[in-house]
Short mmCIF file of all heavy atoms in Angstrom, two decimals:
data_model
loop_
_atom_site.label_atom_id
_atom_site.label_comp_id
_atom_site.label_asym_id
_atom_site.label_seq_id
_atom_site.Cartn_x
_atom_site.Cartn_y
_atom_site.Cartn_z
N GLY A 1 124.57 121.90 94.22
CA GLY A 1 125.22 121.31 95.41
C GLY A 1 124.82 122.12 96.68
O GLY A 1 123.74 122.66 96.75
N ILE A 2 125.65 122.12 97.70
CA ILE A 2 125.31 122.79 98.89
C ILE A 2 126.20 123.94 99.23
O ILE A 2 127.40 123.95 98.84
CB ILE A 2 125.46 121.49 100.07
CG1 ILE A 2 124.81 122.18 101.45
CG2 ILE A 2 126.98 121.30 100.41
CD1 ILE A 2 124.67 120.97 102.30
N GLU A 3 125.64 124.94 99.82
CA GLU A 3 126.45 126.21 99.95
C GLU A 3 127.38 126.04 101.15
O GLU A 3 127.02 125.71 102.35
CB GLU A 3 125.45 127.34 100.23
CG GLU A 3 126.09 128.74 100.23
CD GLU A 3 125.16 129.85 100.39
OE1 GLU A 3 124.16 129.90 99.65
OE2 GLU A 3 125.30 130.68 101.46
N ILE A 4 128.70 126.36 100.72
CA ILE A 4 129.79 126.25 101.94
C ILE A 4 130.68 127.56 101.65
O ILE A 4 130.48 128.14 100.76
CB ILE A 4 130.49 124.79 101.77
CG1 ILE A 4 130.92 124.63 100.32
CG2 ILE A 4 129.58 123.75 102.31
CD1 ILE A 4 132.25 125.17 99.88
N ASP A 5 131.66 127.58 102.52
CA ASP A 5 132.83 128.45 102.30
C ASP A 5 134.05 127.56 101.82
O ASP A 5 134.33 126.49 102.38
CB ASP A 5 133.18 129.15 103.67
CG ASP A 5 132.17 130.25 104.06
OD1 ASP A 5 131.61 130.69 103.01
OD2 ASP A 5 132.09 130.52 105.17
N PHE A 6 134.66 128.10 100.75
CA PHE A 6 135.85 127.41 100.25
C PHE A 6 136.95 128.38 100.01
O PHE A 6 136.66 129.41 99.33
CB PHE A 6 135.48 126.72 98.91
CG PHE A 6 136.77 125.97 98.35
CD1 PHE A 6 137.07 124.63 98.87
CD2 PHE A 6 137.29 126.42 97.30
CE1 PHE A 6 138.19 123.96 98.44
CE2 PHE A 6 138.48 125.69 96.76
CZ PHE A 6 138.80 124.50 97.36
N LEU A 7 138.05 128.30 100.69
CA LEU A 7 139.14 129.28 100.78
C LEU A 7 138.62 130.62 101.13
O LEU A 7 138.99 131.64 100.60
CB LEU A 7 139.76 129.29 99.31
CG LEU A 7 140.58 128.02 98.93
CD1 LEU A 7 140.92 128.19 97.34
CD2 LEU A 7 141.80 127.95 99.73
N GLY A 8 137.62 130.61 102.10
CA GLY A 8 137.04 131.84 102.52
C GLY A 8 135.89 132.50 101.76
O GLY A 8 135.44 133.54 102.01
N ILE A 9 135.58 131.87 100.61
CA ILE A 9 134.67 132.35 99.55
C ILE A 9 133.47 131.49 99.64
O ILE A 9 133.47 130.27 99.65
CB ILE A 9 135.39 132.49 98.26
CG1 ILE A 9 136.69 133.02 98.27
CG2 ILE A 9 134.37 133.23 97.21
CD1 ILE A 9 136.74 134.37 98.70
N LYS A 10 132.20 132.16 99.53
CA LYS A 10 130.99 131.47 99.52
C LYS A 10 130.88 130.81 98.09
O LYS A 10 131.13 131.31 97.09
CB LYS A 10 129.75 132.26 99.67
CG LYS A 10 128.47 131.66 99.67
CD LYS A 10 127.28 132.56 99.95
CE LYS A 10 126.97 133.52 98.90
NZ LYS A 10 125.74 134.28 99.15
N ASP A 11 130.58 129.43 98.13
CA ASP A 11 130.40 128.77 96.84
C ASP A 11 129.52 127.57 97.06
O ASP A 11 129.12 127.21 98.18
CB ASP A 11 131.69 128.41 96.18
CG ASP A 11 131.71 128.30 94.66
OD1 ASP A 11 130.74 128.00 94.16
OD2 ASP A 11 132.76 128.94 94.09
N LEU A 12 129.42 126.64 95.90
CA LEU A 12 128.63 125.49 96.14
C LEU A 12 129.69 124.22 96.07
O LEU A 12 130.75 124.27 95.50
CB LEU A 12 127.72 125.33 94.93
CG LEU A 12 126.60 126.25 94.80
CD1 LEU A 12 125.74 125.93 93.59
CD2 LEU A 12 125.79 126.27 96.04
N ALA A 13 129.41 123.21 96.71
CA ALA A 13 130.20 122.03 96.79
C ALA A 13 129.33 120.75 96.80
O ALA A 13 128.16 120.67 97.21
CB ALA A 13 131.05 121.99 98.01
N THR A 14 129.95 119.61 96.28
CA THR A 14 129.22 118.34 96.33
C THR A 14 129.04 117.90 97.76
O THR A 14 129.80 117.96 98.57
CB THR A 14 129.87 117.26 95.52
OG1 THR A 14 129.18 116.13 95.62
CG2 THR A 14 131.39 117.02 96.06
N ASP A 15 127.72 117.37 98.03
CA ASP A 15 127.40 116.83 99.32
C ASP A 15 127.42 115.27 99.27
O ASP A 15 126.92 114.64 100.21
CB ASP A 15 126.11 117.42 99.82
CG ASP A 15 125.01 117.03 99.01
OD1 ASP A 15 125.02 116.48 97.96
OD2 ASP A 15 123.90 117.42 99.39
N SER A 16 127.79 114.72 98.15
CA SER A 16 127.60 113.24 97.82
C SER A 16 128.55 112.54 98.94
O SER A 16 127.91 111.46 99.45
CB SER A 16 128.17 112.85 96.57
OG SER A 16 129.50 113.25 96.27
N THR A 17 129.61 112.98 99.22
CA THR A 17 130.58 112.27 100.06
C THR A 17 129.91 112.25 101.56
O THR A 17 130.07 111.26 102.21
CB THR A 17 131.98 112.91 100.11
OG1 THR A 17 131.86 114.32 100.30
CG2 THR A 17 132.65 112.53 98.79
N SER A 18 129.32 113.32 101.93
CA SER A 18 128.64 113.61 103.23
C SER A 18 127.54 112.58 103.21
O SER A 18 127.28 111.85 104.33
CB SER A 18 128.27 114.90 103.46
OG SER A 18 129.31 115.82 103.45
N ARG A 19 126.65 112.43 102.29
CA ARG A 19 125.54 111.59 102.28
C ARG A 19 125.88 110.26 102.33
O ARG A 19 125.33 109.33 103.13
CB ARG A 19 124.72 111.88 101.10
CG ARG A 19 124.00 113.17 101.04
CD ARG A 19 123.01 113.42 99.83
NE ARG A 19 122.59 114.75 99.78
CZ ARG A 19 121.51 115.13 100.36
NH1 ARG A 19 120.83 114.26 101.15
NH2 ARG A 19 121.02 116.34 100.29
N MET A 20 126.94 109.74 101.55
CA MET A 20 127.38 108.43 101.67
C MET A 20 128.11 108.04 102.89
O MET A 20 127.80 106.92 103.50
CB MET A 20 128.42 108.16 100.58
CG MET A 20 127.91 108.30 99.18
SD MET A 20 126.68 107.01 98.69
CE MET A 20 127.70 105.53 98.75
N ALA A 21 128.79 108.93 103.49
CA ALA A 21 129.46 108.67 104.84
C ALA A 21 128.45 108.58 105.96
O ALA A 21 128.58 107.49 106.77
CB ALA A 21 130.45 109.85 105.19
N LEU A 22 127.36 109.31 105.92
CA LEU A 22 126.33 109.14 106.96
C LEU A 22 125.49 108.01 106.75
O LEU A 22 125.07 107.29 107.81
CB LEU A 22 125.58 110.47 107.09
CG LEU A 22 126.21 111.64 107.50
CD1 LEU A 22 125.47 112.98 107.22
CD2 LEU A 22 126.54 111.67 109.03
N LYS A 23 125.21 107.64 105.55
CA LYS A 23 124.29 106.58 105.27
C LYS A 23 124.90 105.16 105.62
O LYS A 23 124.34 104.25 105.96
CB LYS A 23 123.92 106.63 103.76
CG LYS A 23 122.95 105.51 103.28
CD LYS A 23 122.63 105.60 101.74
CE LYS A 23 121.60 104.64 101.42
NZ LYS A 23 120.36 104.46 102.04
N PHE A 24 126.33 105.07 105.26
CA PHE A 24 127.04 103.86 105.21
C PHE A 24 127.95 103.80 106.45
O PHE A 24 128.69 102.78 106.57
CB PHE A 24 127.67 103.44 103.91
CG PHE A 24 126.85 103.18 102.86
CD1 PHE A 24 126.29 104.21 102.01
CD2 PHE A 24 126.21 101.82 102.65
CE1 PHE A 24 125.39 103.96 100.97
CE2 PHE A 24 125.36 101.52 101.70
CZ PHE A 24 125.02 102.53 100.69
N ASP A 25 127.93 104.76 107.41
CA ASP A 25 128.93 104.86 108.41
C ASP A 25 130.37 104.65 107.99
O ASP A 25 131.11 103.94 108.48
CB ASP A 25 128.51 103.74 109.44
CG ASP A 25 129.38 103.71 110.71
OD1 ASP A 25 129.64 104.86 111.20
OD2 ASP A 25 129.86 102.69 111.22
N ALA A 26 130.49 105.31 106.82
CA ALA A 26 131.96 105.32 106.20
C ALA A 26 132.92 106.33 106.80
O ALA A 26 132.50 107.39 107.46
CB ALA A 26 131.83 105.55 104.70
N ILE A 27 134.18 106.06 106.70
CA ILE A 27 135.10 107.03 107.11
C ILE A 27 135.68 107.77 105.90
O ILE A 27 135.91 107.08 104.86
CB ILE A 27 136.31 106.27 107.98
CG1 ILE A 27 137.23 107.14 108.67
CG2 ILE A 27 137.10 105.27 107.06
CD1 ILE A 27 138.12 106.65 109.71
#
């Protein structure tokens, strides 16, 4: 996944929702 901060801790998270939102102009 993609490196992010979650609850103040460095970790990985899915970026699928971001890719879909940007690709399809989704909310």
